[in-house]
Amino acid sequence: MDKLKGIRCIEDLKEFIYLYKDVIKKVAMPVIVVAAVLIFWIVGLNKDETIVEEVDTSRHVSEEQNDDSKLKNEEKIKIYADISGCVEKPGVYEVEEGTRIFQLIERAGGLTKDADIEGLNRAEIVSDGQKIIIYAKGESQESENTGVSSSGKININTADASQLQTISGVGPVTAEKIIEYRKANGKFSSIEDIKNVSGIGDKTFEKIRENITIR
């Protein structure tokens, strides 16, 4: 009996579909269209997310490259300085540009007990090839004639007032200004720095540049 009922239902369903097939087509078509639109929309959304992820990844790689470039540009230039006298480990040291004298002293093992730092500007920036002597207490730093180099040029970092006045165009007033500048700012890093002294402009510098040195 159950089988007969099942067969009759199937027959009835077939007959229903046959009789109302046109109606069913009209109703089913919008449903199919809506389903297709939803499928295409979901697929398109997934593609957009993939593109965004690819752009973000590319941007991340670009930022890492820029960071590496900045690090390379920020690498310090290496210079060499000679320190002797009252330090534990005198010698020539390789340091970064911008290193201060107190940092160089630390590299040299620190000061000895008899070191005289009264006249030493430990905040001074070390220049490439600079010779730094840490004198002992009681030694006269002015006793050596360090104002004139072996080439006959005037060392504007060590020359006294009388030696500075041997430079053409430098009188007593300008010589004192040079000495005061050294006391306030430390030694000149280059001969061009002498133009920072009041009264010495470009024209004066061009006249004296062949007669001065910082070493």
Side-chain angles (χ1 to χ4, degrees):
M1 293 294 292
D2 293 337
K3 289 183 178 180
L4 291 173
K5 288 182 179 180
I7 293 171
R8 181 174 294 180
C9 288
I10 293 173
E11 293 297 328
D12 291 341
L13 179 61
K14 287 182 179 180
E15 184 178 355
F16 176 82
I17 293 172
Y18 178 78
L19 292 173
Y20 297 97
K21 59 183 179 180
D22 293 334
V23 176
I24 293 172
K25 287 180 180 179
K26 291 180 181 179
V27 173
M29 186 59 66
V31 175
I32 294 172
V33 171
V34 171
V37 170
L38 288 174
I39 291 171
F40 281 115
W41 180 75
I42 293 171
V43 172
L45 183 62
N46 290 336
K47 287 183 178 179
D48 290 340
E49 290 177 350
T50 302
I51 292 172
V52 170
E53 289 178 357
E54 290 177 352
V55 170
D56 289 341
T57 302
S58 176
R59 183 180 300 170
H60 182 65
V61 172
S62 178
E63 289 175 352
E64 287 183 347
Q65 291 175 345
N66 289 335
D67 290 340
D68 290 341
S69 179
K70 288 179 181 179
L71 288 174
K72 289 180 180 179
N73 291 333
E74 291 174 357
E75 287 182 355
K76 295 290 186 178
I77 298 173
K78 299 296 184 180
I79 61 174
Y80 294 88
D82 184 2
I83 184 168
S84 61
C86 297
V87 289
E88 296 292 344
K89 300 176 182 178
V92 176
Y93 289 88
E94 179 188 70
V95 295
E96 292 181 349
E97 189 177 46
T99 297
R100 306 282 178 169
I101 285 182
F102 79 88
Q103 294 172 316
L104 180 60
I105 291 173
E106 291 175 356
R107 286 286 306 277
L111 298 168
T112 60
K113 293 181 179 180
D114 56 345
D116 183 5
I117 59 172
E118 185 65 28
L120 178 65
N121 181 7
R122 287 175 288 175
E124 179 185 336
I125 294 176
V126 178
S127 59
D128 187 32
Q130 184 176 356
K131 170 68 174 179
I132 300 169
I133 302 174
I134 309 297
Y135 291 93
K137 295 174 182 178
E139 287 184 348
S140 175
Q141 300 184 26
E142 302 295 334
S143 61
E144 298 180 4
N145 183 20
T146 56
V148 182
S149 68
S150 58
S151 62
K153 294 183 179 182
I154 301 300
N155 188 327
I156 57 176
N157 277 333
T158 57
D160 59 23
S162 61
Q163 290 168 335
L164 289 170
Q165 290 177 59
T166 62
I167 303 171
S168 178
V170 176
V173 175
T174 303
E176 288 300 324
K177 288 181 179 179
I178 293 173
I179 293 172
E180 289 301 320
Y181 180 90
R182 289 192 322 223
K183 290 180 180 179
N185 302 282
K187 293 181 179 180
F188 297 101
S189 299
S190 66
I191 60 173
E192 286 79 7
D193 286 347
I194 199 171
K195 291 190 291 183
N196 295 329
V197 176
S198 176
I200 300 179
D202 291 332
K203 291 183 179 179
T204 301
F205 175 72
E206 290 301 322
K207 292 179 181 179
I208 67 175
R209 67 179 303 162
E210 299 300 327
N211 301 316
I212 60 176
T213 183
I214 58 171
R215 298 186 183 90

